[in-house]
């Protein structure tokens, strides 16, 4: 055979696995459906945005040792945003944001008492059905939908329990990469190529034929590739588009037990940072603005402390699903209306200030069909299955195939790719 390992997908997990394997002397080929590396890391041209903006993964969440180690290797640095300010607008009032989920004593008591995981909707229906808890339900749902990109009808209550009881996960530990994630994935690509990894683009995998110690992959264009093993790093919904021969039903069933959220990202570039003095406030340190009022966009953020003239809008979970059928132009208009209401600036003023705009709807992306994973009550058991290789021949990796604390992040993808490679090298 020409190759030792075929890796499907040139996102963070695929690149990390390829780097580890090729440095160990393995002959590796990466088949990528897109015409670029990165997957759901999506760098946008600096000439259009004033810097290399991020259309996909953007922040470093928490400690992220693998991510930070790679950034150190390339001399990149992160801005901690430690003094960046979080604000929210509710009922027309601008105020400092004091946290995503209240540590309500009744909520804490009920969360401490659950012994079996259920969906958030079931949990709230059982314990907080009275109208006096409407605000609490709305706040928790807003957090689950906006931050986790999750559907409360499917999301795990254990995840909420762990977050509330630890009083963590408020997002204030997020860091920006001054050079962007593009620098990281290009570094991994260079490392891979230096070790002999072959990259093929616009290779949409359709069939994976396998037996122990042998894999044959056929792409949409009719090309075929053979190796002793394969690592699939595709996003979870893409498994519905791949035929495995023989079938791997326990793996596919486990895939369906992991949640996968949708998200819209809206980038707007302006002539200047007009928001610094919006609503007669000093917002020079504004990092995040949460839109608590009914609005089509859940949050806006700046590039603080970098002096960029770009605002990024975010909409995730079921609310993103509801807007996904609208055109980009319609979503931009809704975004301007949301900004107008949030910052109390006229739409006409905003439109006159705007230089560029872009909408990235991840559930419309044919090679992602969503944004990132989240936990359901069935996920923990499903991951035990997904982490097991198939006959030491097929391996699954990606941000969703991960059991640590950084689920749904670039760190999770890197860790998963590294773990899959190490299983092969044992």
């Amino acid at each position: 055979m020409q190759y030792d390992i075929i890796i499907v997908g040139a996102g963070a997990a695929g690149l990390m696995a390829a780097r580890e394997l090729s440095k160990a002397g393995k002959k590796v080929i990466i088949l990528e459906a897109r015409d670029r590396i990165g997957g759901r890391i999506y760098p946008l041209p600096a000439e259009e945005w004033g810097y290399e903006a991020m259309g996909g993964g953007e922040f470093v969440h928490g400690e992220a040792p693998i991510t930070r180690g790679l950034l150190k290797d390339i001399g990149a640095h992160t801005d901690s945003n430690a003094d960046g300010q979080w604000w929210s607008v509710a009922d027309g009032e601008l105020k400092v944001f004091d946290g995503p989920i209240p540590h309500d004593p009744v909520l804490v008591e009920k969360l401490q008492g659950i012994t079996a995981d259920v969906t958030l909707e079931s949990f709230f229906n059982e314990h907080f059905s009275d109208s006096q808890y409407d605000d609490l339900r709305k706040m928790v749902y807003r957090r689950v939908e906006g931050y986790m990109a999750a559907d409360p009808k499917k999301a795990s209550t254990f995840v909420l329990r762990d977050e509330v009881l630890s009083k963590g996960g408020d997002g204030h530990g997020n860091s920006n990469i001054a050079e962007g994630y593009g620098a990281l994935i290009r570094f991994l690509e260079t490392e891979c190529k230096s070790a002999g990894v072959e990259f093929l683009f616009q290779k949409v995998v359709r069939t994976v034929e396998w037996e122990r110690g042998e894999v044959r992959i056929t792409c949409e264009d009719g090309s075929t590739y053979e190796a002793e093993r394969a690592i699939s790093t595709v996003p979870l919904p893409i498994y519905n588009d791949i035929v495995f021969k023989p079938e791997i039903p326990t793996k596919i069933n486990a895939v369906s037990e992991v949640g996968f959220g949708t998200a819209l990202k809206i980038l707007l570039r302006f002539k200047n940072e007009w928001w610094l003095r919006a609503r007669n406030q000093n917002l020079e340190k504004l990092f995040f603005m949460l839109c608590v009022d009914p609005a089509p966009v859940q949050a806006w953020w700046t590039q603080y402390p970098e002096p960029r003239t770009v605002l990024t809008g975010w909409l995730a979970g079921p609310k993103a699903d509801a807007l996904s059928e609208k055109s980009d132009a319609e979503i931009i208009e809704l975004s301007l209306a949301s900004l107008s209401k949030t910052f109390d600036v006229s739409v006409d003023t905003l439109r006159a200030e705007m230089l560029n705009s872009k909408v990235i709807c991840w559930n419309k992306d044919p090679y992602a069909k969503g944004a990132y994973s989240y936990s359901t009550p069935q996920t923990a058991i499903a991951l035990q299955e997904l982490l097991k290789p198939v006959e030491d021949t097929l391996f699954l990796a990606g941000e969703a195939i991960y059991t640590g604390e950084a689920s749904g992040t670039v760190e999770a993808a890197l860790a998963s790719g590294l773990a899959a490679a190490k299983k092969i090298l044992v």
Side-chain angles (χ1 to χ4, degrees):
M1 293 184 182
Q2 187 176 356
Y3 305 103
D4 296 314
I5 297 109
I6 299 172
I7 295 177
V8 181
L15 292 170
M16 195 68 181
R19 176 182 185 243
E20 186 78 4
L21 291 165
S22 60
K23 283 191 171 184
K26 299 295 183 181
K27 180 65 174 175
V28 180
I29 184 172
I30 297 181
L31 304 179
E32 169 54 50
R34 294 182 173 86
D35 59 0
R36 61 174 179 83
I37 63 168
R40 284 167 282 164
I41 293 174
Y42 181 22
L44 301 175
E47 57 268 24
E48 295 181 15
W49 298 97
Y51 68 106
E52 191 174 69
M54 294 288 103
E58 181 166 352
F59 299 109
V60 180
H61 301 270
E63 294 182 3
I66 299 174
T67 303
R68 294 184 190 278
L70 290 170
L71 293 173
K72 183 178 180 180
D73 288 344
I74 60 177
H77 63 283
T78 59
D79 297 314
S80 68
N81 306 306
D83 64 338
Q85 295 176 341
W86 290 56
W87 294 77
S88 67
V89 173
D91 299 323
E93 180 184 356
L94 178 68
K95 60 181 182 180
V96 175
F97 184 63
D98 56 4
I101 297 177
H103 289 81
D104 182 285
V106 180
L107 176 62
V108 170
E109 177 189 355
K110 296 301 182 183
L111 287 172
Q112 287 175 328
I114 62 173
T115 57
D117 203 359
V118 295
T119 66
L120 278 170
E121 183 177 73
S122 297
F123 172 75
F124 271 87
N125 287 345
E126 179 177 355
H127 299 290
F128 300 97
S129 59
D130 193 279
S131 60
Q132 67 176 306
Y133 298 115
D134 284 353
D135 287 345
L136 177 63
R137 180 191 288 258
K138 287 177 182 177
M139 186 169 291
V140 171
Y141 277 27
R142 187 162 55 239
R143 166 66 173 180
V144 167
E145 293 176 0
Y147 187 73
M148 302 177 188
D151 184 344
K153 294 179 180 178
K154 301 176 182 178
S156 162
T157 300
F158 277 1
V159 172
L160 174 68
R161 179 197 64 183
D162 295 345
E163 180 174 335
V164 169
L165 298 186
S166 69
K167 297 187 179 181
D170 62 2
H172 287 58
N174 294 345
S175 301
N176 288 58
I177 305 170
E179 295 81 3
Y181 268 118
L184 187 151
I185 60 172
R186 288 190 292 270
F187 168 70
L188 290 176
E189 179 187 33
T190 299
E191 291 266 287
C192 288
K193 288 183 175 178
S194 296
V197 176
E198 184 177 348
F199 286 77
L200 295 181
F201 295 97
Q202 296 180 307
K203 294 294 181 180
V204 181
V205 170
R206 291 303 184 206
T207 304
V208 177
E209 300 172 83
W210 67 276
E211 58 183 77
R212 188 176 182 86
E214 184 175 342
V215 181
R216 179 184 174 89
I217 291 180
T218 303
C219 298
E220 192 172 64
D221 62 6
S223 58
T224 61
Y225 305 90
E226 295 183 357
E228 295 176 2
R229 294 183 175 97
I231 302 175
S232 173
T233 70
V234 301
L236 298 185
I238 304 304
Y239 283 99
N240 294 322
D241 300 333
I242 299 175
V243 175
F244 290 87
K245 298 180 181 180
E247 296 180 351
I248 50 173
T250 56
K251 291 288 186 287
I252 301 304
N253 182 63
V255 163
S256 71
E257 302 288 0
V258 182
F260 203 75
T262 58
L264 276 167
K265 203 170 185 183
I266 306 110
L267 285 87
L268 303 178
R269 184 184 183 188
F270 297 95
K271 296 175 183 176
N272 57 69
E273 297 172 278
W274 54 263
W275 52 86
L276 298 181
R277 299 291 175 182
R279 287 185 174 269
N280 297 315
Q281 291 279 350
N282 179 359
L283 298 179
E284 291 184 359
K285 293 186 176 182
L286 173 65
F287 181 33
F288 261 77
M289 178 69 76
L290 286 302
C291 308
V292 181
D293 284 326
V297 180
Q298 295 165 320
W300 293 94
W301 64 78
T302 71
Q303 295 299 309
Y304 180 84
E306 296 295 327
R308 311 296 190 192
T309 62
V310 173
L311 285 176
T312 300
W314 179 257
L315 182 65
K319 291 182 176 64
D321 282 327
L323 283 187
S324 63
E325 297 306 314
K326 293 187 178 295
S327 69
D328 287 359
E330 290 174 314
I331 292 172
I332 293 299
E333 288 304 307
L334 287 169
S335 299
L336 291 175
S338 178
L339 273 182
S340 173
K341 183 175 182 180
T342 299
F343 288 94
D344 194 23
V345 178
S346 74
V347 171
D348 287 342
T349 298
L350 294 173
R351 193 175 286 114
E353 285 286 324
M354 192 169 68
L355 295 174
N356 197 15
S357 64
K358 188 172 182 64
V359 175
I360 300 99
C361 182
W362 282 103
N363 53 316
K364 284 184 179 180
D365 186 303
Y367 309 125
K369 297 186 177 181
Y372 49 86
S373 64
Y374 64 88
S375 292
T376 72
Q378 297 78 32
T379 292
I381 293 175
L383 286 177
Q384 294 177 23
E385 174 61 35
L386 294 173
L387 288 166
K388 299 175 186 175
V390 180
E391 296 288 337
D392 194 35
T393 301
L394 298 180
F395 299 75
L396 306 188
E399 55 83 14
I401 318 296
Y402 168 84
T403 58
E405 296 181 356
S407 59
T409 67
V410 174
E411 175 73 10
L414 294 169
S416 178
L418 184 60
K422 287 182 175 180
K423 287 176 185 177
I424 290 174
L425 294 174
V426 170

